[in-house]
Structure formats: structure tokens, C-alpha cells
């Protein structure tokens, strides 16, 4: 893990990190839904329009997976991440429709070193995704575990 940009010490309470942008295509919505969430509104444009979602919409689980990809690309793959003990809160606030452009941020809410494993730090984060209209479509709060720079060396 030597040379990773993001270690426990690099996270600052109150700081926000940009997750970049992600275009959502009809093809990927249908592909994901076909395998993992085969409800009609995720598989067919007309069924989506007939639903309360208003069009072909990504499954909430697909939205979560897209968020995870954005998080990995933004910083997680270049970090000392050791995973997460779980998610405190996840909310799918608005439908993510085919053609939407997602952007997002992660805000560091708190950080602390583990008492039993001082080489490990716990970072509490709040993440949010927005569509191209600036509407919040997804939010998540969780704690991530990161090695200190010294422990990663």
C-alpha cells in the first residue's frame, strides 16, 4: 500500500471531495436490472413511464453501485482503505432516469483512530449524488476504515 495518496491523516473534518460525473444510459439500466432487479420500470421505457418514476429508471441498487464506482474512481482505489463496517443510512431520494448525468460529493463528518488498532482510522462520511438539475437523488452515511500512512508503509 506504500505510495497511496489517501491515508487516514489526509482526511480533514468538514472537507468535501468531488466524485466527478457519470452519464447514465438506458442500456446500462436494463443490463443491471436484467441481472439484479428485474422490475418492469427498470427494464422497459413504457413500463417506467406508466410508473410513478416517470421513465426508465435505475434500480436503487444500481444507483448505489454507480455511486461506489464514482467513489472508487475519485479516491478510494488510491487510498489505504480497509473496507467499511457498514452503512448507517442510505436513501434513494429521486428516480435516476436514462439520460441523467450524476455528480457527487463526499463530506468528512468525523474521524478518529481506533483504540484497539491505532494503525487504523475511522472516517465517517456523508455522500450525495445529484442529477443534472442539481436535485439530490441519493444520500449515504457510512464509516470507512483507513490505515495510517505509517502503517501502510
Amino acid at each position: 500500500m506504500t505510495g497511496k495518496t489517501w491515508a487516514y491523516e489526509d482526511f480533514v473534518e468538514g472537507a468535501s471531495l468531488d466524485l466527478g460525473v457519470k452519464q447514465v444510459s438506458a442500456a446500462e439500466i436494463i443490463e443491471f436490472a436484467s441481472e439484479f432487479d428485474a422490475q418492469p420500470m427498470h427494464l422497459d421505457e413504457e413500463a417506467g413511464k406508466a410508473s410513478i418514476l416517470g421513465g426508465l429508471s435505475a434500480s436503487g441498487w444500481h444507483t448505489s453501485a454507480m455511486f461506489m464506482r464514482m467513489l472508487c474512481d475519485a479516491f478510494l482505489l488510491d487510498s489505504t482503505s480497509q473496507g467499511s463496517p457498514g452503512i448507517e443510512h442510505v436513501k434513494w431520494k429521486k428516480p435516476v432516469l436514462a439520460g441523467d448525468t450524476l455528480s457527487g460529493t463526499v463530506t468528512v463528518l468525523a474521524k478518529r483512530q481506533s483504540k484497539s488498532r491505532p494503525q487504523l482510522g475511522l472516517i465517517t462520511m456523508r455522500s450525495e449524488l445529484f442529477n443534472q438539475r442539481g436535485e439530490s437523488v441519493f444520500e449515504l452515511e457510512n464509516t470507512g476504515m483507513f490505515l495510517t500512512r505509517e502503517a501502510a508503509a
Side-chain angles (χ1 to χ4, degrees):
M1 298 206 108
T2 303
K4 295 290 187 178
T5 300
W6 292 93
Y8 169 74
E9 297 87 345
D10 300 308
F11 293 92
V12 176
E13 286 185 22
S16 287
L17 306 166
D18 181 27
L19 296 179
V21 297
K22 163 82 174 106
Q23 291 288 136
V24 182
S25 72
E28 73 178 296
I29 289 173
I30 293 168
E31 180 181 358
F32 185 95
S34 294
E35 187 164 355
F36 300 109
D37 192 352
Q39 296 182 73
M41 68 284 252
H42 305 317
L43 294 169
D44 178 75
E45 178 69 36
E46 291 309 311
K49 285 180 182 174
S51 78
I52 63 170
L53 302 176
L56 181 66
S57 65
S59 160
W61 299 113
H62 184 194
T63 301
S64 298
M66 289 186 284
F67 158 75
M68 192 66 203
R69 176 84 256 174
M70 293 169 75
L71 183 71
C72 284
D73 291 345
F75 70 88
L76 202 62
L77 295 178
D78 190 23
S79 78
T80 63
S81 174
Q82 300 297 294
S84 171
I87 294 172
E88 311 304 322
H89 162 90
V90 65
K91 188 170 186 180
W92 303 307
K93 298 172 73 177
K94 285 191 174 283
V96 173
L97 301 174
D100 277 356
T101 302
L102 300 178
S103 61
T105 59
V106 172
T107 302
V108 177
L109 300 178
K111 64 185 276 189
R112 68 177 177 83
Q113 279 188 266
S114 170
K115 288 179 177 51
S116 61
R117 293 182 173 177
Q119 74 277 15
L120 192 65
L122 298 130
I123 308 293
T124 303
M125 300 174 267
R126 181 177 190 281
S127 303
E128 196 165 14
L129 293 180
F130 304 91
N131 64 21
Q132 65 278 7
R133 291 178 297 283
E135 299 167 327
S136 177
V137 298
F138 170 88
E139 66 183 38
L140 178 138
E141 285 188 23
N142 76 301
T143 299
M145 300 179 296
F146 295 85
L147 291 176
T148 62
R149 191 157 304 286
E150 181 180 337

